[in-house]
Amino acid sequence: ERDLFQRERRRDRKDRPMTAWFRARFLCVIAGTVLLFSACASTNRAALQSMSEESGRFLASGEVEKALAPFTEAYRKSPGDKSLILHYIAAVDGIWQAGAEAFAKQDYVMAERIYRALWDHYPNFEGFASKLTFTKSTLEEKLKQSRTSLADENPRASSRERG
């Protein structure tokens, strides 16, 4: 019985260094992975912030297509990136809101330009369209309203804008 006890004790000692080595190795791998992902996340966060700012500048200058372009391109490359999708949704919803504001101010040229760009890009939103603050049918209705209002305001200007 004593011999069995001593063998058991020796086996425990042999296992401990391996377990300690394994734990140390495992913790190093986990720590390295966390550092790697946090570095990637901060780079990604900075890139997303830059895209958002660029998109806002283009929208402010009336270049709606260019406001959508950085997100559209990034989404084509990484359609599964959840952080990118959230920023893309925010950008699209911001552009939608800008269209609503332009329409409310009776700037039908800008409203039509915004709604048309959203309409043209809507196929790119299919992966997350249910999370947007508007639907395709709502967008279609707003586009028609802005075109009608533009035509009512100035028939010649509206034909030039569409052309």
Side-chain angles (χ1 to χ4, degrees):
E1 192 172 314
R2 188 168 195 218
D3 189 38
L4 181 63
F5 179 73
Q6 286 177 344
R7 269 192 267 156
E8 187 70 31
R9 200 168 174 201
R10 270 187 249 136
R11 194 178 86 217
D12 283 347
R13 273 190 236 137
K14 286 180 184 175
D15 288 345
R16 269 190 215 130
M18 184 62 170
T19 303
W21 178 86
F22 178 76
R23 283 182 188 154
R25 185 74 147 182
F26 181 74
L27 290 174
C28 286
V29 169
I30 294 296
T33 304
V34 167
L35 287 173
L36 177 66
F37 282 126
S38 65
C40 290
S42 65
T43 303
N44 190 24
R45 193 176 308 126
L48 290 172
Q49 182 64 34
S50 175
M51 280 194 294
S52 295
E53 290 170 2
E54 181 181 10
S55 179
R57 282 192 301 274
F58 282 126
L59 182 59
S61 68
E63 299 178 88
V64 184
E65 292 286 334
K66 288 183 179 180
L68 288 165
F71 287 105
T72 303
E73 185 61 32
Y75 183 67
R76 281 191 188 128
K77 291 178 182 175
S78 303
D81 186 336
K82 291 179 181 176
S83 184
L84 170 64
I85 292 169
L86 291 174
H87 279 80
Y88 196 5
I89 290 169
V92 171
D93 282 341
I95 293 169
W96 167 260
Q97 185 61 39
E101 290 171 8
F103 192 86
K105 292 177 182 175
Q106 298 180 350
D107 184 354
Y108 302 122
V109 173
M110 181 54 93
E112 194 269 342
R113 187 180 304 153
I114 290 171
Y115 293 141
R116 185 172 18 117
L118 290 172
W119 179 261
D120 292 344
H121 281 266
Y122 202 86
N124 300 324
F125 311 152
E126 293 295 334
F128 54 84
S130 64
K131 293 177 174 56
L132 294 172
T133 58
F134 61 94
T135 62
K136 189 174 185 177
S137 60
T138 308
L139 175 59
E140 183 177 24
E141 183 60 35
K142 287 294 190 179
L143 182 57
K144 286 178 185 177
Q145 286 176 2
S146 62
R147 285 181 175 167
T148 302
S149 298
L150 188 59
D152 290 346
E153 187 178 83
N154 188 349
R156 287 185 181 171
S158 66
S159 64
R160 281 188 299 237
E161 286 297 319
R162 282 191 231 139

